[in-house]
């Protein structure tokens, strides 16, 4: 599970692992394990999983708490995070 999570965090979200790996290591990983069109495919999989149960998409309580009183708070957009990742 940890390996799958690390793959999603690096490949789809571009989070913490991305900044810790040298460019040549990241390029070697992608060359060895290419994932063509992976961002579109993962978003499609998330959509297919949630489309039939839209109530499961209710935001988490922490985001709801910040959203109301904080004028400057901008709720993160999961799709944009994936699309904008390196």
């Amino acid at each position: 599970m940890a390996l799958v999570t690390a793959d999603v965090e690096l490949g789809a979200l571009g989070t913490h692992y991305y900044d810790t790996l040298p460019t040549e290591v990241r390029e070697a990983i992608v060359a060895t394990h290419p994932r063509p069109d992976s961002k579109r495919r993962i978003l499609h999989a998330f959509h297919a999983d949630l489309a039939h149960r839209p109530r499961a998409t209710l935001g988490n309580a922490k985001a709801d708490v910040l959203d109301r009183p904080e004028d400057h708070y901008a709720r993160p957009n999961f799709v944009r995070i994936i699309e904008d990742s390196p």
Side-chain angles (χ1 to χ4, degrees), residues 18-53:
Y18 190 87
D19 294 335
T20 62
L21 294 173
T23 301
E24 60 274 2
V25 172
R26 292 191 312 264
E27 289 173 354
I29 291 169
V30 172
T32 305
H33 304 284
R35 295 171 310 233
D37 205 22
S38 62
K39 290 180 186 184
R40 188 193 61 76
R41 289 173 41 210
I42 198 166
L43 290 173
H44 176 76
F46 286 139
H47 178 266
D49 181 51
L50 293 169
H52 68 285
R53 52 191 185 103

Side-chain angles (χ1 to χ4, degrees), residues 72-84:
H72 65 278
Y73 177 73
R75 187 181 296 258
N77 183 298
F78 186 68
V79 172
R80 284 194 200 110
I81 291 169
I82 291 174
E83 290 176 340
D84 295 343

Side-chain angles (χ1 to χ4, degrees), residues 4-5 10-11 16 45 47 50 76-77:
V4 171
T5 299
L10 174 60
H16 55 257
H47 178 266
L50 293 169
N77 183 298

